[in-house]
Amino acid sequence: MLSHFRNAALTDFTKSENRESFMEALAKIESQLGKTHSLVIGGKKVFTKETFTSHNPSNPSQVIGAFSKAGVKEAKRALEAATKAFGEWSSWPVKRRAKLLFDVADIMRARRHEFSAAMVLETGKPWIEADADTAEGIDFCDYYARLALDLQGKTQPVTQIPTERAQLFYIPLGAGAVIPPWNFPFAILVGMTVGAVVAGNTVVLKPASDSPFVGRLAFDVLVEAGMPPGVVNFLPGPGSTAGEELVTNPKTRFITFTGSKEVGLGIVDKASKIAKGQIWIKRVMAEMGGKDTMVIDETADINAAAKASSAAAFGYAGQKCSACSRLIVHAKIYNRFMTELLKHAKKIKVGDPRSFDTSMGPVINRQSLAKCRKYLQIGKREGKLILGGNVIKQKGGYFLEPTIFEDIKPGARMEQEEIFGPILTVMKFNGSFEDMIKLANATEYGLTGSVYSGDRDRINYAKRHFHAGNLYINRKCTGALVGVHPFGGFNMSGTDAKAGGRDYLLLLTQAKSISEQF
């Protein structure tokens, strides 16, 4: 009998044996760097004349690997391979597809530190953040496999009448495009991919250009576990060519995307247009970021709120779509709260995440650092810099200090625009709790939010009126767990697909109703 789903435990790095094991994994992954990697289409390796290179953001002179660059021609071939594989794969019994996912999870558990080490090197994640990313990828496999068994393993309940036998069950959509982000290069990539395939679909996987090596490691696990050729096709390449073809091609049945609002809206727009030969409406699941807010009222536990705010703002250098980038703090506790917040933020050690002592690594690339520097100048015009604001020069890496601005006014660019870096804006608020929530809602986004309060009536008010897809009470706004916190946002944060929730596979299937009259 299948056990109940349980989230994978995080690694306890206070134990020396776990630290030693992780260091061994880092050395093993470093020994594999610098190679040239192919596309994989229909189970066959495809090398292209053009390649692109992935670098370590902590030390850009270190080449992670060279990757064949897919274009329009390769994207078409990959969709043809996925379409061809769909017939057989969709006919696999759901128990067999779920068993494959359980096998994938077992392989990931056995090699867990290797995937985490790859993220440390390719995306600058500190050990603890990378370990949590890997654990989440394992969770997606275990959770979606169980969900598929529940959803597709039996007909769903419908009302019966005396003269007919009615049935309803879920069938897969077809061949689709999976376009994951670089900031959760393992967890989100794995979740989007295995969710699609366990539901019976086939996939063209286009990993983010800043994290193709992690994507290749995940793809190789699928192959190792026995994924048939063409069910998942590995297609690194630029969004402007390969990505565009995947979105607009008439063979594409669905697109799952996580990334920026601008790219996501472009996908929604292009996918809505019917191409020649297309006989379906493409389904798009898009998660597009946020401008996430934590509200701290005058009844809050100040120490707990300050510690959580620092962790939510500066974990993974603020490069989470759920990261706290706006703080609304009541004037009555503002000075005491800010003293505690600065205390926690000043403890953050910035540096190369290969060292376990590092608590915050670099931003992902040169363009991201340049964007952060632009917002540093905007912040100095719109408010007061009270912490950080300096680029740290270390091996040419893209390091920025944890940065806090205060005296930011509602409507300012700093409190409205997504920055995606370790920059936090703080607003002192002297008014009602209801108005604090109104201010929290005053952006075009609606992904995550958090409220710290000791007042039960206010907490209940926030539950009703704080318009975020994921709302947390008296805890930080980052760190969603598969199955516990189904993840997805409102408004310009996306289509609220709720990854890691019971509804997710429904979006990757279609309901078929059959009734036989006697």
Side-chain angles (χ1 to χ4, degrees):
M1 184 176 176
L2 191 63
S3 62
H4 291 295
F5 170 74
R6 295 180 186 277
N7 297 103
L10 301 180
T11 301
D12 182 358
F13 286 116
T14 65
K15 296 181 178 180
S16 60
E17 59 268 30
N18 288 338
R19 294 196 301 274
E20 290 169 6
S21 179
F22 199 91
M23 289 297 294
E24 290 171 2
L26 275 170
K28 181 176 180 179
I29 293 298
E30 284 205 85
S31 72
Q32 299 172 9
L33 301 184
K35 298 178 182 178
T36 299
H37 301 272
S38 67
L39 316 176
V40 182
I41 299 174
K44 296 180 180 179
K45 293 182 178 181
V46 177
F47 289 92
T48 59
K49 290 182 179 179
E50 282 194 80
T51 62
F52 68 97
T53 306
S54 174
H55 297 265
N56 181 345
S58 300
N59 179 12
S61 65
Q62 184 179 41
V63 174
I64 303 298
F67 292 83
S68 289
K69 183 189 291 187
V72 172
K73 179 179 71 173
E74 291 78 20
K76 287 180 178 178
R77 284 181 58 188
L79 279 168
E80 289 168 1
T83 302
K84 182 179 178 181
F86 175 70
E88 180 181 350
W89 176 250
S90 61
S91 69
W92 274 35
V94 67
K95 288 184 178 179
R96 191 177 175 193
R97 295 198 300 263
K99 171 63 166 57
L100 192 146
L101 257 65
F102 289 132
D103 290 344
V104 169
D106 286 340
I107 295 170
M108 290 176 177
R109 273 186 278 267
R111 294 169 47 202
R112 168 175 187 155
H113 289 337
E114 294 177 28
F115 306 116
S116 301
M119 284 184 269
V120 168
L121 294 167
E122 188 172 41
T123 65
K125 284 205 168 189
W127 288 24
I128 292 173
E129 297 274 358
D131 181 68
D133 198 317
T134 303
E136 188 175 355
I138 295 168
D139 283 349
F140 276 127
C141 293
D142 280 341
Y143 184 78
Y144 287 152
R146 287 170 170 80
L147 190 59
L149 290 169
D150 185 49
L151 236 144
Q152 295 185 283
K154 54 183 180 289
T155 58
Q156 301 304 305
V158 291
T159 300
Q160 299 295 333
I161 59 175
T163 57
E164 298 180 14
R165 180 174 180 266
Q167 295 175 286
L168 185 140
F169 50 91
Y170 295 98
I171 63 174
L173 296 172
V178 170
I179 307 174
W182 53 262
N183 63 330
F184 284 87
F186 190 79
I188 294 181
L189 178 148
V190 168
M192 293 165 77
T193 303
V194 302
V197 299
V198 79
N201 304 293
T202 54
V203 160
V204 179
L205 168 61
K206 195 193 89 62
S209 295
D210 283 306
S211 56
F213 181 71
V214 175
R216 183 55 186 262
L217 292 179
F219 171 81
D220 288 345
V221 172
L222 300 178
V223 175
E224 183 180 341
M227 191 75 73
V231 174
V232 179
N233 302 274
F234 183 71
L235 200 81
S240 59
T241 52
E244 180 95 0
E245 180 62 28
L246 294 178
V247 170
T248 59
N249 192 290
K251 287 186 170 66
T252 301
R253 180 62 182 82
F254 66 92
I255 301 135
T256 58
F257 166 80
T258 299
S260 71
K261 181 191 77 171
E262 290 74 22
V263 175
L265 291 178
I267 288 173
V268 170
D269 178 56
K270 289 165 186 162
S272 70
K273 295 174 172 59
I274 305 301
K276 184 178 180 180
Q278 184 178 323
I279 61 171
W280 45 59
I281 299 170
K282 294 173 183 174
R283 192 173 294 180
V284 178
M285 289 142 278
E287 197 274 279
M288 306 188 304
K291 190 68 178 175
D292 307 299
T293 307
M294 293 180 66
V295 174
I296 319 296
D297 80 3
E298 72 274 23
T299 70
D301 181 327
I302 291 174
N303 293 336
K307 183 177 181 180
S309 299
S310 178
F314 303 120
Y316 191 38
Q319 298 176 118
K320 301 177 184 179
C321 50
S322 59
C324 175
S325 57
R326 300 166 83 220
L327 264 179
I328 302 172
V329 184
H330 199 279
K332 288 183 179 179
I333 61 164
Y334 186 84
N335 291 339
R336 286 184 292 150
F337 175 85
M338 292 303 294
T339 298
E340 289 298 313
L341 175 64
L342 290 170
K343 182 176 71 175
H344 288 291
K346 288 175 181 177
K347 290 179 182 178
I348 295 171
K349 182 178 179 182
V350 182
D352 190 331
R354 286 182 297 181
S355 170
F356 173 63
D357 294 335
T358 295
S359 48
M360 194 181 97
V363 295
I364 189 64
N365 56 34
R366 187 184 305 278
Q367 293 76 19
S368 180
L369 184 61
K371 181 181 179 182
C372 288
R373 295 177 84 160
K374 180 187 79 171
Y375 277 99
L376 291 177
Q377 297 308 310
I378 295 170
K380 290 173 183 177
R381 293 195 299 269
E382 294 186 337
K384 178 183 177 183
L385 176 67
I386 61 170
L387 183 71
N390 297 306
V391 172
I392 300 171
K393 296 181 180 179
Q394 181 177 316
K395 292 186 178 179
Y398 310 121
F399 297 98
L400 180 67
E401 293 175 331
T403 298
I404 300 175
F405 287 94
E406 66 176 358
D407 295 342
I408 300 293
K409 300 296 186 293
R413 292 182 66 184
M414 291 298 290
E415 71 97 26
Q416 288 291 311
E417 299 175 7
E418 187 176 42
I419 301 171
F420 229 63
I423 300 174
L424 174 65
T425 63
V426 187
M427 291 179 282
K428 182 194 292 188
F429 193 86
N430 190 11
S432 70
F433 183 78
E434 291 79 7
D435 284 339
M436 293 178 84
I437 298 300
K438 184 178 180 180
L439 178 57
N441 288 334
T443 77
E444 64 180 348
Y445 297 101
L447 185 52
T448 73
S450 170
V451 170
Y452 269 81
S453 176
D455 186 306
R456 177 50 53 185
D457 289 337
R458 291 179 177 184
I459 289 170
N460 289 334
Y461 182 88
K463 288 179 179 180
R464 293 192 303 273
H465 297 287
F466 198 145
H467 197 61
N470 286 71
L471 178 63
Y472 303 98
I473 308 298
N474 290 325
R475 58 147 284 183
K476 63 188 176 77
C477 61
T478 58
L481 291 172
V482 172
V484 182
H485 314 108
F487 191 81
F490 303 154
N491 300 346
M492 286 298 171
S493 286
T495 59
D496 196 36
K498 285 296 186 278
R502 292 192 62 81
D503 298 338
Y504 188 74
L505 291 195
L506 290 174
L507 300 172
L508 294 156
T509 59
Q510 47 197 342
K512 187 171 185 177
S513 175
I514 299 176
S515 194
E516 181 178 358
Q517 183 169 298
F518 297 105

